[in-house]
Amino acid sequence: RVNAISAGPVQTLSSAGVSDFDKVLRHYPNKAPLHRNIRGGEVGSSALYLLSDLSSGVTGEIHYVDCGYSIVGW
């Protein structure tokens, strides 16, 4: 099976090197339907689901972990 996770912006050590990343984090909750930023643990939980037998019938999917941002866009 092949699946992918598309995550929203997450505050990490590497994201600190991206210029104006703080602006992205401030913008995101204003547009995302859940009105918040995602947490790294949410991405991990989604990955765990995709690796488990719970997703045994899932393949060829992109799993968006982005508080709904992908349905509204910029």
Side-chain angles (χ1 to χ4, degrees), residues 53-70:
D53 288 338
L54 293 173
S55 68
S56 62
V58 179
T59 191
E61 295 295 326
I62 298 174
H63 189 77
Y64 292 93
V65 183
D66 63 358
C67 294
Y69 190 86
S70 59

Side-chain angles (χ1 to χ4, degrees), residues 5-28:
I5 294 176
S6 177
V10 180
Q11 184 82 39
T12 63
L13 184 59
S14 62
S15 70
V18 177
S19 63
D20 295 330
F21 190 74
D22 57 324
K23 289 181 184 177
V24 173
L25 290 176
R26 286 194 308 269
H27 165 81
Y28 204 81

Side-chain angles (χ1 to χ4, degrees), residues 20-44:
D20 295 330
F21 190 74
D22 57 324
K23 289 181 184 177
V24 173
L25 290 176
R26 286 194 308 269
H27 165 81
Y28 204 81
N30 295 325
K31 288 287 194 171
L34 294 182
H35 301 292
R36 64 178 179 82
N37 286 310
I38 67 164
R39 295 180 292 276
E42 293 172 319
V43 179

